Amino acid sequence: MSVAELKERHVAASDTVNSLRERLKQKRASLLDTDVAGYARSQGKTPLTFGPTDLVCCRTLQGHTGKVYSLDWTSEKNRIVSASQDGRLIVWNALTSQKTHAIKLPCAWVMTCAFSPTGQSVACGGLDSACSIFNLNSLCDKDGNLPVSRTLNGHKGYVSSCQYVPDEDAHLITGSGDHTCVLWDITTGLRTSVFGGEFQSGRHTADVLSVSINQSNSRLFVSGSCDTTARLWDTRVASRAVRTFHGHEGDVNVVKFFPDGNRFGTGSDDGTCRLFDIRTGHQLQVYHQPHSDNDVPPVKTIAFSISGRLLFAGYTNGDCYVWDTLLAKVVLNLGSLQTSHEAQISCLGLSADGSALCTGSWDTNLKIWAFGGHRKII
């Protein structure tokens, strides 16, 4: 068979696949006669009422000299690690605002950081295409710097996201600009599995920007990519994704599992957040910003409250909306409060018990927000 014939057959097969994909999309759309908010309204549900005193800024963490790009809480709720353009990781005591560690990084261009489940170590990655592990109990070197305890090398592009596998410090998942995700054995420093290789139909075709591991079933994780899709993976089957989720019209900058593990949220350059069901593959809800013009700012970071009723979303214009996930209504904009950041909120996360929210910003600061009044937790 000649090269021209092979190309012709490839084009025909691609057209068939695209046609089937479009038919499947139309069929799914015909079956989805409502969304979460539509059903909730039909049942007489009303949005949460949220005032500026129901979520108050109780602490500002100052210490970074560059934009804050990433943060993570420990499972015992009182410590936070943050990564900044100043080339440092800082570990904070969230209760006292004190710094317990200031770690100088081998590569200043850091993009992501994560606490281990036990809180004994932290991981970070960035433009050096590696993931560095620091043991917080290690002794500092003669220059007063905490040494790298393990470097995970293997990606061929920047490391955009990392997260430890729940309940163990020995394994970690990274997402990268090389279009793949990797499960690492930290003890050996070797790759256990590479997700996104063998089958083109089941892998990302552009940079992976975010990963989120299912807290209920740690074998499952989702990834978001510049190819506008999110994908569900099973760590036992690395060759192709379990399911691919379409709907966004721009880069998927962030993915985050819903507390029950059956759904996950996404945030995208198209300015929307979306909620997907991993069991059916259906899109359950779209959270459109209340903007009347066409200049809709991208979503950079999201997090769910411990019950899932609230969705926190940070946008590039400085807004940080608190969404009622059930009714798809904005109940509060943290970006409009006097105590908010002076630049865009680039990262955020909830404490393990759901009682506090931490936001990180390009203004170099982190802020801790606590539920006030009768709202101790939502």
Side-chain angles (χ1 to χ4, degrees):
M1 185 177 293
S2 67
V3 174
E5 288 175 323
L6 283 173
K7 287 184 176 178
E8 187 177 334
R9 292 183 65 177
H10 180 265
V11 170
S14 297
D15 290 342
T16 301
V17 168
N18 290 334
S19 175
L20 290 171
R21 183 179 290 130
E22 186 61 29
R23 286 170 58 189
L24 184 60
K25 182 179 178 180
Q26 292 173 358
K27 184 65 176 177
R28 281 180 172 169
S30 68
L31 294 173
L32 289 173
D33 54 349
T34 187
D35 56 17
V36 171
Y39 179 76
R41 285 192 294 269
S42 72
Q43 299 299 304
K45 302 292 184 181
T46 56
L48 292 172
T49 55
F50 230 80
T53 59
D54 286 325
L55 192 60
V56 294
C57 179
C58 56
R59 284 180 182 79
T60 298
L61 307 181
Q62 297 178 312
H64 282 299
T65 57
K67 298 174 181 177
V68 178
Y69 284 141
S70 180
L71 67 85
D72 192 27
W73 288 82
T74 53
S75 55
E76 81 272 11
K77 90 176 182 179
N78 65 343
R79 285 190 298 158
I80 298 166
V81 62
S82 58
S84 166
Q85 193 182 41
D86 61 15
R88 292 185 183 276
L89 294 182
I90 295 181
V91 179
W92 311 82
N93 184 317
L95 300 178
T96 65
S97 304
Q98 292 181 326
K99 308 174 192 68
T100 61
H101 296 81
I103 304 169
K104 186 177 181 181
L105 300 175
C107 173
W109 301 101
V110 63
M111 300 176 70
T112 182
C113 63
F115 247 121
S116 68
T118 64
Q120 299 301 306
S121 62
V122 292
C124 68
L127 295 186
D128 59 354
S129 304
C131 187
S132 301
I133 311 295
F134 296 89
N135 186 331
L136 298 180
N137 297 320
S138 297
L139 297 176
C140 295
D141 60 22
K142 57 183 173 61
D143 297 321
N145 297 320
L146 194 69
V148 178
S149 61
R150 177 73 70 183
T151 302
L152 307 177
N153 291 306
H155 278 299
K156 297 178 181 178
Y158 60 86
V159 175
S160 59
S161 183
C162 66
Q163 186 180 353
Y164 279 86
V165 175
D167 302 323
E168 57 169 306
D169 282 18
H171 292 91
L172 175 141
I173 292 177
T174 54
S176 170
D178 63 11
H179 307 183
T180 70
C181 304
V182 171
L183 173 64
W184 300 88
D185 185 326
I186 298 174
T187 305
T188 63
L190 300 177
R191 292 178 291 182
T192 301
S193 301
V194 179
F195 304 90
E198 294 182 32
F199 299 99
Q200 187 172 1
S201 61
R203 70 186 185 202
H204 284 299
T205 57
D207 302 13
V208 176
L209 300 178
S210 179
V211 296
S212 178
I213 303 174
N214 192 324
Q215 299 296 307
S216 305
N217 180 359
S218 60
R219 292 191 297 267
L220 299 178
F221 72 96
V222 289
S223 57
S225 168
C226 290
D227 64 10
T228 75
T229 71
R231 296 177 192 258
L232 175 68
W233 303 87
D234 188 320
T235 56
R236 297 166 295 183
V237 185
S239 58
R240 65 189 307 163
V242 176
R243 197 182 291 276
T244 300
F245 299 84
H246 299 274
H248 281 295
E249 298 175 0
D251 299 358
V252 179
N253 296 317
V254 58
V255 292
K256 190 73 68 174
F257 260 106
F258 198 75
D260 68 0
N262 292 322
R263 288 161 280 271
F264 69 92
T266 57
S268 168
D269 272 357
D270 65 14
T272 68
C273 299
R274 296 172 190 248
L275 186 65
F276 294 93
D277 191 305
I278 66 171
R279 297 162 298 182
T280 64
H282 288 160
Q283 176 180 285
L284 302 177
Q285 186 64 54
V286 182
Y287 301 94
H288 293 282
Q289 295 177 60
H291 285 271
S292 56
D293 53 26
N294 293 324
D295 187 21
V296 181
V299 184
K300 300 305 291 184
T301 180
I302 64 169
F304 289 102
S305 66
I306 198 166
S307 69
R309 183 65 190 266
L310 298 179
L311 169 65
F312 303 90
Y315 301 82
T316 56
N317 66 343
D319 286 333
C320 183
Y321 290 141
V322 182
W323 291 90
D324 182 333
T325 56
L326 192 62
L327 276 300
K329 296 289 186 182
V330 175
V331 296
L332 184 66
N333 180 8
L334 294 181
S336 66
L337 303 181
Q338 280 190 325
T339 52
S340 189
H341 292 280
E342 297 175 1
Q344 78 170 61
I345 292 174
S346 51
C347 51
L348 49 79
L350 268 291
S351 61
D353 66 351
S355 63
L357 170 75
C358 183
T359 55
S361 169
W362 282 14
D363 68 5
T364 76
N365 297 327
L366 295 94
K367 289 180 181 286
I368 297 176
W369 307 76
F371 292 105
H374 65 285
R375 299 187 186 281
K376 301 301 182 187
I377 188 170
I378 297 180

